[in-house]
């Protein structure tokens, strides 16, 4: 049986159900508008809104857990969620991720309609609202070119192989964190 470790990345269309996507769109829009101090100052010159471990996104990290195990053909541990509202001229530098991101998912919540593909290992991948791509975050370089639209919301869910080299990063080594899964 092929696991995500053999195929390297996998696109999942309609990763979010319609009602989940409606909720997420409303939530990120409101949270972005009300944001006064949670900005991505390291990756963006224009201070895009970003949140590590947001409670709603952590809930989806766990809600999508069974689907993730099915799609990756691996026994997983959840590590953390992170979401970002990208704005005009944002980019995502070419990089690989830290150990907590062994198995990563980027899922598109919504946008102003401007196309903005992610590149995974040199392959250009276009996601529609609600779509996701699962990939080996620590292993495969990934990036996005400069964004020319007004807004684009993405959520990232991260997991580790419960039998793999990064299993100690379960829950991103957080002591206080939701369920003990």
């Amino acid at each position: 049986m092929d696991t995500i470790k053999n195929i390297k990345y996998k696109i999942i269309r309609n990763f979010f159900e319609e009602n989940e996507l409606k909720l997420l769109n409303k939530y990120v829009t409101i949270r972005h508008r009300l944001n006064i101090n949670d900005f991505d100052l390291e990756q963006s010159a224009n201070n895009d809104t970003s949140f590590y471990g947001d409670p709603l996104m952590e809930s989806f990290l766990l809600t999508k857990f069974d689907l993730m195990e099915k799609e990756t053909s691996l026994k997983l541990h959840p590590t953390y969620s992170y979401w970002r509202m990208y704005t005009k001229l944002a980019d995502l530098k070419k990089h690989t991720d830290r150990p907590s991101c062994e198995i990563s998912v980027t899922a598109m919540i919504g946008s102003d309609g401007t196309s903005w593909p992610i590149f995974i290992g040199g392959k250009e991948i276009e996601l529609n609202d609600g779509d996701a791509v699962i990939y080996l975050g620590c292993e495969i370089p990934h990036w996005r070119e400069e964004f020319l639209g007004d807004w684009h919301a993405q959520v990232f869910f991260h997991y580790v192989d419960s039998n793999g080299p990064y299993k100690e990063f379960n829950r991103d080594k957080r002591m206080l964190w939701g369920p003990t899964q």
Side-chain angles (χ1 to χ4, degrees):
M1 173 188 311
D2 274 341
T3 70
I4 193 69
K5 291 183 178 185
N6 299 69
I7 58 176
K8 307 297 182 189
Y9 72 89
K10 183 176 188 177
I11 299 169
I12 309 297
R13 300 291 178 200
N14 301 308
F15 181 78
F16 289 121
E17 296 172 13
E18 188 176 339
N19 62 337
E20 294 172 329
L21 197 55
K22 284 180 185 178
L23 170 68
L24 285 164
N25 266 287
K26 297 292 184 197
Y27 179 78
V28 299
T29 302
I30 292 167
R31 189 94 159 123
H32 176 68
R33 286 183 184 154
L34 297 177
N35 182 31
I36 58 171
N37 59 3
D38 290 293
F39 300 100
D40 187 339
L41 301 175
E42 290 182 26
Q43 288 192 1
S44 178
N46 57 344
N47 302 330
D48 295 333
T49 298
S50 63
F51 295 94
Y52 170 95
D54 177 276
L56 179 62
M57 301 306 175
E58 296 283 279
S59 298
F60 275 105
L61 172 79
L62 297 173
T63 300
K64 297 298 181 182
F65 184 80
D66 291 341
L67 175 63
M68 286 299 301
E69 286 194 328
K70 177 183 171 212
E71 293 293 342
T72 61
S73 298
L74 295 171
K75 175 94 173 106
L76 301 173
H77 289 309
T79 58
Y80 74 96
S81 68
Y82 180 85
W83 76 268
R84 182 169 167 186
M85 177 71 78
Y86 295 91
T87 58
K88 192 166 189 83
L89 304 180
D91 65 359
L92 181 63
K93 304 284 187 235
K94 187 175 188 177
H95 69 286
T96 55
D97 296 323
R98 62 190 180 92
S100 293
C101 309
E102 181 182 17
I103 311 297
S104 292
V105 178
T106 183
M108 185 169 168
I109 295 172
S111 76
D112 64 359
T114 304
S115 174
W116 198 39
I118 185 168
F119 293 85
I120 298 180
K123 170 101 169 125
E124 183 176 331
I125 298 171
E126 188 72 48
L127 299 175
N128 298 313
D129 292 2
D131 291 347
V133 60
I134 304 168
Y135 56 98
L136 303 178
C138 301
E139 189 176 315
I140 301 174
H142 48 283
W143 69 94
R144 290 180 187 264
E145 303 295 335
E146 189 174 78
F147 180 57
L148 300 177
D150 289 322
W151 69 277
H152 183 100
Q154 287 289 139
V155 62
F156 308 91
F157 299 131
H158 302 289
Y159 305 86
V160 292
D161 181 346
S162 65
N163 298 308
Y166 305 119
K167 62 186 170 201
E168 78 267 15
F169 288 89
N170 182 16
R171 297 179 288 172
D172 205 21
K173 296 188 173 184
R174 293 177 281 177
M175 296 299 290
L176 299 174
W177 182 81
T180 57
Q181 183 172 348

